[in-house]
Amino acid sequence: MDRDTIYSKPITSVPPFEFNAAVASVFDDMIHRSVPMYGEIIRRQAQLVQRCCRPGTRVYDLGCSTGNLAMALCRLMSAGSFEMVAVDSSQPMLDIFQKRLKAAGRLEDITLMAKDIRQVNLDRAAVVVVNFTLQFLPPADRDDLLQKIYDALAPGGMLLFSEKTLHADQGLSDLQVDFYYRFKKENGYSELEISQKREALENVLVPETGETHHNRLRRCGYSGIDVWLKWFNFCSWICIK
Ligand code: GEK
């Protein structure tokens, strides 16, 4: 996997962050070094999918990037035993995903879709996964997408959802951000890389509080909502319809 050095040199005017070919080529390294407990999230979600999906139903991964969840699922489940639709608006991400599936001989199990997740029709959904993707949508579009997912899920179906969050209390918010940057430094990112990436993500990644997410999930109608993993300002939920 190529090392993420995108923000390692000074950039005169940092452009807004994009999921372009340069980012896609280092994505795996970037996400493992930028999202606390990423490996654990993917591993457990694949196990949850395995537990919940039934013949004739589908798993959707909305904002699938280069397919880490799908690859974890392929390792757990035999060829032909599940159906997944993986959606991303970044073609460079999907190109890498497709190469990985081909190398693993698992092209048949997963349908890749180059599309905006707001435009996708969900059908026969047993599990929908939205990991660190809602945060890139305009806040005004978030209710509709989450409601569409709920409406599409079969009774007993599951939404697996993860986001970077914001704390309403300024002191706790500062503490969370401080520990997050500490985490990034421990993973080899320099002060310059951290500050240029932060600038690039300004108004591109728009986090919300845990309460805002929780209230939205409740309004959708889920009967069970649980935060199963939390690390300072990173949060993963399981929601059962
Ligand atoms: C993982 N879930 O490895 N429509 C479709 N895709 C989108 C949209 C949109 N409107 N907006 C952003 N994306 C993955 C990680 S990364 C998170 C998800 C991150 C896509 C975008 O192209 C990118 O691949 C992904 O959402 C977000 O668990 O990089 O912080």
Side-chain angles (χ1 to χ4, degrees), residues 19 27 31 38 42 61-65 68 87-90 93 115-118 131-133 135-137:
F19 292 99
F27 178 77
I31 195 130
Y38 178 74
I42 295 296
D61 186 3
L62 305 182
C64 58
S65 301
N68 285 330
V87 186
D88 206 286
S89 51
S90 164
M93 291 284 192
K115 217 164 175 173
D116 190 305
I117 57 175
R118 288 165 292 185
N131 270 339
F132 306 108
T133 302
Q135 59 199 22
F136 292 103
L137 294 190

Side-chain angles (χ1 to χ4, degrees), residues 62 116-122 142-153 220:
L62 305 182
D116 190 305
I117 57 175
R118 288 165 292 185
Q119 256 87 65
V120 171
N121 289 321
L122 305 167
R142 297 178 186 183
D143 283 6
D144 284 357
L145 177 68
L146 266 281
Q147 192 63 55
K148 177 173 85 173
I149 292 169
Y150 176 84
D151 292 344
L153 278 168
C220 286

Side-chain angles (χ1 to χ4, degrees), residues 157-183:
M158 192 162 65
L159 166 68
L160 299 175
F161 174 55
S162 304
E163 286 276 285
K164 185 177 182 182
T165 59
L166 191 71
H167 206 287
D169 178 90
Q170 192 58 52
L172 280 171
S173 175
D174 293 346
L175 177 95
Q176 291 185 336
V177 170
D178 182 34
F179 270 74
Y180 179 53
Y181 292 152
R182 196 179 278 224
F183 166 86

